[in-house]
Amino acid sequence: MSAASPYAARLGKIPIERREVEALGSVTAYWVYGPADEEAPTVISVHGFRGDHHGLEPVIAYLPGVRVISPDLPGFGETPPIPGRDHDLGLYSGWLTAFARAVAPDAVILGHSFGSIVSSAAVAGGLRTPRLILINPIGAPALEGPKGVLTRLAVLYYGLGARLPQRIGTALLRHPFIVRIMSIAMAKTRDPALRRFVHDQHDRYFSRFSDRDVLHDAFVTSVSHDVRAFAGVIDAPTLLIAAQRDDITPIEAERRLARMFPDAELVEIAEVGHLIHYETPAEAAGAVRRFLRLPFAPGR
């Protein structure tokens, strides 16, 4: 039985349209939230590892009046892999550049978690954007985070999933028990209803990867790169929205990361970890609205 979304009523007031576009020789599925008016502020949102476009919907629910374009990354959700390519950072940053140029040139780019790496690499590589927004940015090597031991276990897990016979390996990577353990490890909220929603979201969308090879490529990319490598050459004004209890990038590392950008602002959110987009989306959206100089949405 699915858990009720605490953000459903807000999201239900926002128009949503599914579309497709060719990018990097394959078809990308994406969703457009908000007004059809081309004059509305436009944001392209890039979701995190193992997720799809649904993950950022709680934040979008607090951005009425903003046009948000939210694709599924290649190999996840409803977007198939790019044929004949390793799904490494070069592919993902090249795909984002091609996608943005096709659907919304000069849109604001927003990336969450793994999406922060992809977005930063693309902007550093030449993708034009007036502003860059990073939620839960990966600001240090994942293996050095507060729970580096768990990350090393994840390396073993994804490696095992890639080496076992295909049927067994894929079943391991999609096993509901493992997905729930990941969800429990990341959730910080003490609200039982919100925890049920978070776990339900991971149950629904965390295993919608196309195949184990793509998943393994993306995982290796996620633990082999971080935003620090690109910060110094990004000249667009940048907003970092970081969690004070993030187990992947500690807040001290996020503070150091903010100082690496030529023009960056850091907003810290207390009592939340790596799931800002699920647990504190109103606070994240408020920071986004301030950064984009937009009026606040009525009612929190």
Side-chain angles (χ1 to χ4, degrees):
M1 183 176 179
S2 62
S5 168
Y7 315 112
R10 281 184 167 276
L11 192 65
K13 297 176 183 178
I14 297 176
I16 305 174
E17 180 183 353
R18 185 191 183 281
R19 299 181 185 175
E20 294 182 350
V21 69
E22 184 173 316
L24 228 61
S26 186
V27 174
T28 293
Y30 69 101
W31 287 255
V32 180
Y33 300 79
D37 181 6
E38 296 290 338
E39 298 302 314
T42 300
V43 175
I44 293 177
S45 65
V46 186
H47 65 75
F49 175 66
R50 283 195 70 147
D52 66 9
H53 70 281
H54 290 94
L56 287 164
E57 284 189 335
V59 178
I60 294 170
Y62 286 91
L63 293 173
V66 179
R67 187 167 176 258
V68 180
I69 297 172
S70 190
D72 284 347
L73 272 68
F76 295 90
E78 296 183 28
T79 297
I82 307 295
R85 295 282 302 274
D86 291 335
H87 284 62
D88 55 16
L89 185 55
L91 177 134
Y92 281 114
S93 61
W95 161 82
L96 177 58
T97 299
F99 174 80
R101 289 173 177 169
V103 303
D106 298 323
V108 171
I109 303 297
L110 181 155
H112 170 256
S113 188
F114 177 59
S116 74
I117 302 174
V118 173
S119 298
S120 298
V123 172
L127 172 59
R128 290 176 53 188
T129 182
R131 289 175 180 261
L132 175 65
I133 300 168
L134 306 176
I135 301 176
N136 286 120
I138 306 301
L143 294 175
E144 297 177 7
K147 292 195 175 179
V149 172
L150 289 181
T151 305
R152 289 178 174 83
L153 289 175
V155 170
L156 294 175
Y157 165 69
Y158 285 105
L160 185 61
R163 290 192 296 271
L164 286 170
Q166 183 171 351
R167 183 179 62 83
I168 298 173
T170 301
L172 174 66
L173 293 168
R174 289 196 167 111
H175 199 288
F177 177 75
I178 302 295
V179 171
R180 181 55 59 91
I181 291 298
M182 294 178 188
S183 188
I184 290 171
M186 289 188 289
K188 301 299 183 186
T189 180
R190 296 181 180 180
D191 181 332
L194 185 53
R195 288 184 73 89
R196 284 194 295 272
F197 168 71
V198 169
H199 297 332
D200 180 65
Q201 290 291 290
H202 287 142
D203 290 347
R204 285 170 176 259
Y205 306 119
F206 230 45
S207 295
R208 297 184 70 203
F209 54 89
S210 61
D211 60 76
R212 65 177 184 169
D213 294 331
V214 165
L215 184 66
H216 185 259
D217 283 354
F219 174 74
V220 170
T221 299
S222 73
V223 297
S224 302
H225 301 275
D226 62 75
V227 176
R228 296 177 306 169
F230 313 107
V233 297
I234 293 175
D235 56 8
T238 301
L239 171 65
L240 289 74
I241 304 175
Q244 292 185 349
R245 298 179 62 194
D246 198 330
D247 292 323
I248 294 179
T249 302
I251 193 62
E252 293 81 7
E254 301 285 34
R255 293 166 183 162
R256 291 193 294 269
L257 174 64
R259 294 193 290 270
M260 295 179 184
F261 286 86
D263 181 4
E265 170 189 349
L266 173 65
V267 171
E268 299 181 16
I269 302 180
E271 301 304 320
V272 68
H274 202 65
L275 302 181
I276 283 175
H277 58 310
Y278 285 143
E279 296 185 16
T280 58
E283 289 83 349
V288 169
R289 299 192 79 90
R290 285 191 296 272
F291 185 62
L292 299 182
R293 300 184 177 89
L294 299 173
F296 278 82
R300 290 169 61 85

